[in-house]
Amino acid sequence: MRQVTVLGSSGAFPEPGRACSGFAVDWDGYRLVLDLGYATLPRLLGHWPDGAVDAVVITHEHPDHCIDLHGLFRMRLYGGVGGPRLPLYCPPGVLDRISGLEPDADLSAVFDLHPLPGAYRVGPFDLIGLSLPHYVPNVGVRLAADGLVVAYSGDTGPTPVLAELGRDADLFIVEATDRDGETSQPTRNLMTSTEAGHWARRAGARRLMLTHFWPGNDRAAAVAAARLEFDGAVLAAEEDLTVRLGTAGR
């Protein structure tokens, strides 16, 4: 089984019935998590009831991308999960945020930290983390295995690095915040759906998944806007949506 399941798709804060950024990657039994924002941990446990995760990748320190890492820490520390430390791949600042919630706990008792940006062998994947523009250090993540690529932008402004990140990806997950006034900002740290489509086309990706929707946004309109730039399949990230990798179906 090779698939990606959406744990959460909202930016900034979760809408009712939704969660913030998070994705569960299943690859022939290997379990990797991309981001753990608000309300993603219960959804992760709904997908993997035993809570057994092989690796976690966090794109940056904003809580809508990392706060439920704290819940996972407590589950592994106090829940009798046992086993080796959990490999954690993330930029500077992520563990600083979590340690602020647990000043008396040793996070290294649970997490085996691997700093990003950088390149690693992670289970079946060649993982590359590339720096992308945001308000804080942020990485886009590229996972490659058996000729297939899943790429994820985290949060980012427009940058040619996105074309490198998503090059020939089977699935390119790109933030499409579409916040009012974003395109007029003097420094760009977030994107629109149209821009997400543009960079997916530049990357030569096969499928585009839009995510990190600003609460209240019309997701169907976001998909339509992305299709103006990208002629491949365009999906809106929806909680519990599962996309199979290497196939045309979901």
Side-chain angles (χ1 to χ4, degrees), residues 117-141:
Y120 299 93
R121 183 69 181 177
V122 181
F125 299 110
D126 289 320
L127 181 154
I128 298 174
L130 300 176
S131 293
L132 296 173
H134 196 45
Y135 300 99
V136 297
N138 171 74
V139 296
V141 179

Side-chain angles (χ1 to χ4, degrees), residues 101-120:
L101 300 171
E102 292 281 4
D104 300 320
D106 180 8
L107 299 184
S108 67
V110 169
F111 298 126
D112 180 16
L113 178 63
H114 303 272
L116 293 175
Y120 299 93

Side-chain angles (χ1 to χ4, degrees), residues 144-161:
D146 289 352
L148 289 176
V149 172
V150 175
Y152 171 46
S153 70
D155 288 355
T156 182
T159 170
V161 179

Side-chain angles (χ1 to χ4, degrees), residues 2-250:
R2 297 176 175 182
Q3 62 187 32
V4 174
T5 299
V6 180
L7 303 177
S9 62
S10 296
F13 57 92
E15 296 181 89
R18 297 192 183 275
C20 283
S21 298
F23 301 88
V25 182
D26 295 89
W27 189 278
D28 296 340
Y30 190 86
R31 299 173 171 184
L32 183 145
V33 182
L34 291 169
D35 278 350
L36 278 170
Y38 296 116
T40 53
L41 182 58
R43 291 181 177 275
L44 175 69
L45 296 176
H47 183 57
W48 293 326
D50 59 5
V53 177
D54 295 301
V56 177
V57 183
I58 304 292
T59 59
H60 65 286
E61 66 187 84
H62 282 159
D64 58 330
H65 291 257
C66 79
I67 199 64
D68 273 21
L69 186 64
H70 180 231
L72 183 62
F73 167 78
R74 285 189 150 237
M75 178 182 174
R76 293 182 75 93
L77 186 67
Y78 301 125
V81 174
R85 293 187 301 159
L86 178 61
L88 171 63
Y89 302 83
C90 63
V94 171
L95 284 187
D96 291 338
R97 292 268 182 159
I98 302 304
S99 65
L101 300 171
E102 292 281 4
D104 300 320
D106 180 8
L107 299 184
S108 67
V110 169
F111 298 126
D112 180 16
L113 178 63
H114 303 272
L116 293 175
Y120 299 93
R121 183 69 181 177
V122 181
F125 299 110
D126 289 320
L127 181 154
I128 298 174
L130 300 176
S131 293
L132 296 173
H134 196 45
Y135 300 99
V136 297
N138 171 74
V139 296
V141 179
R142 180 180 174 90
L143 301 171
D146 289 352
L148 289 176
V149 172
V150 175
Y152 171 46
S153 70
D155 288 355
T156 182
T159 170
V161 179
L162 286 166
E164 177 185 354
L165 178 72
R167 182 70 60 207
D168 298 327
D170 183 53
L171 180 66
F172 195 8
I173 305 169
V174 184
E175 76 107 309
T177 308
D178 279 326
R179 188 169 62 173
D180 287 344
E182 181 57 38
T183 57
S184 62
Q185 295 294 320
T187 301
R188 297 294 308 284
N189 292 301
L190 295 167
M191 291 208 302
T192 68
S193 301
T194 304
E195 289 169 332
H198 169 82
W199 290 110
R201 175 172 55 82
R202 288 277 301 273
R206 179 171 169 237
R207 292 180 288 182
L208 168 63
M209 179 185 285
L210 304 177
T211 190
H212 200 261
F213 299 102
W214 195 253
N217 279 9
D218 183 336
R219 297 180 177 213
V223 169
R227 284 179 174 151
L228 296 174
E229 289 283 339
F230 181 69
D231 60 6
V234 180
L235 307 172
E238 299 282 353
E239 282 69 11
D240 301 321
L241 170 67
T242 293
V243 176
R244 294 183 180 179
L245 301 173
T247 70
R250 295 183 180 181

